[in-house]
Amino acid sequence: EVMPTLDMALFDWTDYEDLKLAA
Amino acid sequence: PDPCHDEGGAPRSCVPGLVNAALGREVRASSTCGRPASRTCDASDPRRAHPAALLTSAGAAPGPLCWRSEALTQSPLNVTLTVPLGKAFELVFVSVRFCSAPPAAVALLKSQDHGRSWAPLGFFSARCGHDFGRPPAPAHGPPGPGPEALCFPAPQALPGGGGLLAFSVQDGSPPGLDLDSSPVLQDWVTATDIQVVLTRPATTGDTWDSTATGTYSYSAAELQVGGRCKCNGHAARCRPDPQGHLLCDCQHGTEGPDCSRCKPFYCDRPWQRATAREAHACLACSCNGHARRCRFNMELFRLSGRRSGGVCLNCRHNTAGRHCHYCREGFYRDPGRPLSDRRACRACDCHPVGAAGKTCNQTTGQCPCKDGVAGLTCDRCAPGFQQSRSPVAPCVKTP
C-alpha cells in the first residue's frame, strides 16, 4: 500500500509558527 | 625502454649517466695572467689570453689551450680554481691535466651547499706533513669505518713536460662500502662545487720553501669532474629548466632538484632513496578521487605496519574520513554509484515535519521518523496512520 505524502497545507501552524519557519 | 620502470610499469631504481659535470661550467680562478698584459699573455687579446674558461671548454675555444696563472713571486703561492657544478652530483673522479710541470702540492675540496662551506676530499704532495700537516695515505686506503680525506702522492709528471692529477672518490673510501646502503658514502660522494687549491708550484726537488725566491706560475689545460647528476635513484636524466638551472627529471612521485622529497599528494609513506633492490617510490594517497591534498601521519604509518600513513585533507563531494571513504553527516552512500563517483554521497533530504532529525543512516539513507511516519525521508504516514493537523505529531492512528 502506497501512502500519500504529507500535505503541508493540512497542518495547523497556529501554535507552531517557529516549526513552520523551519519547515 | 623506460629506465625508471620495468616492463610491467613497476618503478625501479634509475640513475643518470656518467658525465663530465664541469664541462661548460664557469671556472673561477683566483689568479689568471694577462692583466696587465705581458709579452706572452694578454687577457684582452683572444690569441694571447689564457682564461680559466679553457679548463672546462674541452678545446672548443680557439687560440691557446691552457689556462695560466699570474707570475707569482711571493709566498703563499696559492691559486684556487673553483667550479660550481650547478646542482648536486655524485662524484666518481676529479682530474686536472697540467700544461707544464705539475704543482708539488694540491688540495682538493668539495662543497655541498653551493660554496658556503667546504670540506677536503684529498691532498696531494710528496711532503704531506710539511704541506698539509697530515701523514701519507696508508697503502690500502683509509682504515675506516668511513671515508676520509687522505694525503696522496703529488700529481704525476708526464713525459713531455705536462702533468696529471687524478683522484677517484674510492681512493678516500674504505673498501666494502656500498652506495645504496651507506649514508656516509652517499654524503662523501655528493658535491655541488669543486675546488682545486694549488698550494706549491713545481720546483727542483724538495728544496723549495717559503724563503725561496723566483717566479712561479701554474698552467692547466683541463679540469674534469666525473660524476652522475644526483637524483637519489628517482631519475634517469637531468635537464636545464628555463632559467638554465640543472634539475632532475624526477619519477616515482618525487620532486625537487635532486628528487629528494615526495610530491604534495604522494605522501602515503616517507620519502626514501631508491636502491637496486627497492625503488621506494612515493605513493599517492588513497582519497577515492575526492581530495587533492593529503598529509603524512607517522603514527598511522606505524599502526598500519609501515604500509600507509596518508590522511586526505578537505574531502570534497560530501565525503569524509581518512581516505574520503564515507559520507559526511547529512548524506548517505548511493549504492548505485561507485565510491569514486562525484555523486556517490546523496543528501538525506529528511522531511522537515515527518522526520525527527536531519541525519539519516549513512548506509541505507533512512531518516529517523516520528511516531506513525514512514518512508526513506519520513514523508508519509505508515499504514494504519493518517495525517493529523499537528506538525508535532503529523500522523495519528486511524480511528
Side-chain angles (χ1 to χ4, degrees):
Chain A
E1 186 184 2
V2 178
M3 307 298 285
T5 55
L6 295 173
D7 184 352
M8 302 294 268
L10 290 181
F11 291 122
D12 177 3
W13 298 98
T14 310
D15 296 328
Y16 308 105
E17 280 302 322
D18 52 339
L19 207 58
K20 184 182 178 185
L21 289 174
Chain B
D2 177 355
C4 297
H5 297 89
D6 65 17
E7 295 76 11
R12 64 180 172 192
S13 174
C14 51
V15 291
L18 180 64
V19 295
N20 174 10
L23 188 64
R25 306 297 309 181
E26 192 178 333
V27 186
R28 290 193 304 271
S30 63
S31 166
T32 298
C33 68
R35 288 185 205 281
S38 67
R39 187 175 56 81
T40 55
C41 185
D42 180 355
S44 62
D45 179 358
R47 291 167 303 173
R48 290 195 296 142
H50 296 266
L54 294 170
L55 292 165
T56 54
S57 59
L65 295 174
C66 300
W67 158 80
R68 238 167 66 191
S69 73
E70 298 164 280
L72 308 165
T73 53
Q74 283 187 323
S75 183
L77 301 174
N78 283 7
V79 170
T80 302
L81 301 171
T82 306
V83 199
L85 306 176
K87 79 170 289 300
F89 275 77
E90 291 187 335
L91 303 178
V92 176
F93 68 86
V94 178
S95 70
V96 184
R97 197 156 52 82
F98 295 99
C99 295
S100 52
V106 179
L108 188 60
L109 310 173
K110 67 164 185 180
S111 171
Q112 293 183 327
D113 52 13
H114 300 279
R116 280 185 285 278
S117 62
W118 294 90
L121 277 172
F123 303 92
F124 304 85
S125 168
R127 302 166 67 194
C128 289
H130 172 270
D131 286 317
F132 301 112
R134 289 166 181 268
H140 301 293
E148 57 185 295
L150 301 176
C151 188
F152 301 100
Q156 184 189 0
L158 297 176
L164 182 70
L165 180 147
F167 171 76
S168 164
V169 287
Q170 287 182 345
D171 295 344
S173 173
L177 283 187
D178 170 48
L179 195 61
D180 268 356
S181 57
S182 170
V184 288
L185 186 57
Q186 291 161 17
D187 180 70
W188 171 248
V189 302
T190 299
T192 57
D193 305 65
I194 290 293
Q195 205 167 61
V196 181
V197 188
L198 312 170
T199 62
R200 187 157 63 89
T203 56
T204 50
D206 290 344
T207 55
W208 185 90
D209 61 38
S210 58
T211 60
T213 56
T215 300
Y216 305 94
S217 69
Y218 301 104
S219 176
E222 189 173 32
L223 194 166
Q224 283 196 0
V225 178
R228 299 176 192 278
C229 191
K230 183 184 175 92
C231 301
N232 290 296
H234 295 304
R237 59 184 174 178
C238 281
R239 287 195 286 200
D241 70 2
Q243 286 76 44
H245 303 122
L246 203 57
L247 302 174
C248 294
D249 184 10
C250 296
Q251 307 290 312
H252 305 162
T254 63
E255 66 170 19
D258 308 339
C259 310
S260 56
R261 59 176 185 261
C262 290
K263 281 161 72 174
F265 193 67
Y266 289 71
C267 51
D268 202 37
R269 61 185 185 186
W271 178 89
Q272 265 188 281
R273 180 184 168 100
T275 67
R277 275 189 179 177
E278 170 66 54
H280 293 302
C282 291
L283 295 182
C285 287
S286 168
C287 299
N288 294 295
H290 300 303
R292 290 179 186 155
R293 295 194 303 127
C294 63
R295 65 176 163 78
F296 177 73
N297 184 306
M298 183 53 95
E299 190 70 23
L300 291 173
F301 184 64
R302 284 206 198 99
L303 288 171
S304 72
R306 304 184 68 79
R307 278 160 58 178
S308 169
V311 178
C312 304
L313 299 175
N314 301 330
C315 290
R316 296 177 304 159
H317 312 133
N318 305 308
T319 60
R322 187 185 155 194
H323 301 297
C324 306
H325 58 299
Y326 58 80
C327 299
R328 72 181 176 92
E329 203 173 281
F331 292 80
Y332 69 100
R333 273 283 284 120
D334 182 342
R337 296 178 187 276
L339 181 55
S340 57
D341 194 302
R342 290 166 62 97
R343 287 183 288 177
C345 290
R346 294 178 65 163
C348 292
D349 201 22
C350 297
H351 195 278
V353 174
K358 290 181 177 176
T359 305
C360 61
N361 182 306
Q362 289 192 334
T363 311
T364 62
Q366 178 63 56
C367 294
C369 297
K370 291 177 182 171
D371 279 348
V373 183
L376 196 66
T377 60
C378 310
D379 63 340
R380 55 192 79 221
C381 291
F385 287 79
Q386 66 184 35
Q387 184 171 349
S388 75
R389 288 170 55 78
S390 165
V392 175
C395 299
V396 293
K397 268 198 173 157
T398 308

